[in-house]
Amino acid sequence: MLEAERASIPPGMTSQPSPVQLIRPTRHGDSRGWFVEVYNREAFAKIGITCTFVQDNHSLSVPAYTLRGLHFQTPSRGQDKLVRCIRGRIFDVAVDIRKGSPTFGHWVGAELSAENGHQLFIPIGFAHGFVTLEDTCEVSYKCSDTYAPANDGGIRWDDPAIGIDWQLPAGTTPELSAKDAVQPLLADFDSPFPYDGRPLAPLA
């Protein structure tokens, strides 16, 4: 596991590809700079990502250690997400919240940055969040459904039962929205997401 990629899943617990995928697009560079395809429907279908994206979101977080999450939308308005950082660096996290999953409550995370160009695909059934690792970070992500306020849900970012290592310096309190500061604990969440037979695995 790379230093920038972390998980709460014991080694050897899973043997198949994770439903959460870390994607490393190839940059084609020359003296002028570089070019990269960040999304190609046919190429993504070959790695099992077949959803149709219908909305693009873009956020700016000015202070370092701004934390957004953990968020999801409930059925029938669930959202697959394809996340990338286009300015600065973030630590991006997905938590398995599928009822009956052997990896329920486990998480994976990876550093996404403007420099490395990596993307994280988070399917329906996972809560998503990120923390900025420096000032002035911009994050862009695709969603497979539009925002539905009635289906908006969340889990506490610091739920001890999940135990996410957010890469925060000792003693640092992240910047949170009023909503994210009072999200429920996982133990108080009756998940409407079914398990599809694919446990969460460390990022490949």
Side-chain angles (χ1 to χ4, degrees), residues 134-158:
E134 56 188 63
D135 292 338
T136 315
C137 290
E138 294 186 61
V139 175
S140 175
Y141 58 100
K142 295 181 174 296
C143 298
S144 64
D145 201 349
T146 54
Y147 176 59
N151 298 78
D152 189 30
I155 298 293
R156 277 281 296 271
W157 69 277
D158 60 347

Side-chain angles (χ1 to χ4, degrees), residues 5-143:
E5 300 161 21
R6 299 180 185 272
S8 63
I9 305 157
M13 181 173 179
T14 58
S15 60
Q16 55 184 304
S18 179
V20 177
Q21 296 192 48
L22 182 63
I23 299 161
R24 302 174 177 88
T26 301
R27 287 177 173 175
H28 306 277
D30 58 25
S31 60
R32 301 166 299 166
W34 50 259
F35 169 85
V36 63
E37 281 189 355
V38 297
Y39 175 72
N40 178 304
R41 184 174 62 181
E42 293 181 2
F44 273 62
K46 290 179 181 177
I47 59 173
I49 299 174
T50 58
C51 60
T52 299
F53 294 114
V54 299
Q55 178 174 309
D56 280 14
N57 297 335
H58 186 163
S59 72
L60 167 67
S61 301
V62 176
Y65 309 117
T66 294
L67 196 152
R68 300 177 183 266
L70 298 157
H71 300 152
F72 54 85
Q73 285 192 178
T74 57
S76 58
R77 300 298 302 274
Q79 291 179 316
D80 303 289
K81 296 178 181 178
L82 180 64
V83 183
R84 64 191 180 114
C85 180
I86 59 175
R87 184 180 184 185
R89 295 184 302 127
I90 67 170
F91 186 66
D92 204 45
V93 170
V95 179
D96 189 348
I97 55 172
R98 299 168 297 167
K99 182 177 289 186
S101 170
T103 52
F104 181 81
H106 288 272
W107 62 274
V108 293
E111 183 176 303
L112 310 182
S113 70
E115 182 177 359
N116 68 27
H118 295 173
Q119 302 179 80
L120 198 65
F121 175 72
I122 300 111
I124 293 168
F126 291 80
H128 169 249
F130 67 84
V131 64
T132 62
L133 301 177
E134 56 188 63
D135 292 338
T136 315
C137 290
E138 294 186 61
V139 175
S140 175
Y141 58 100
K142 295 181 174 296
C143 298

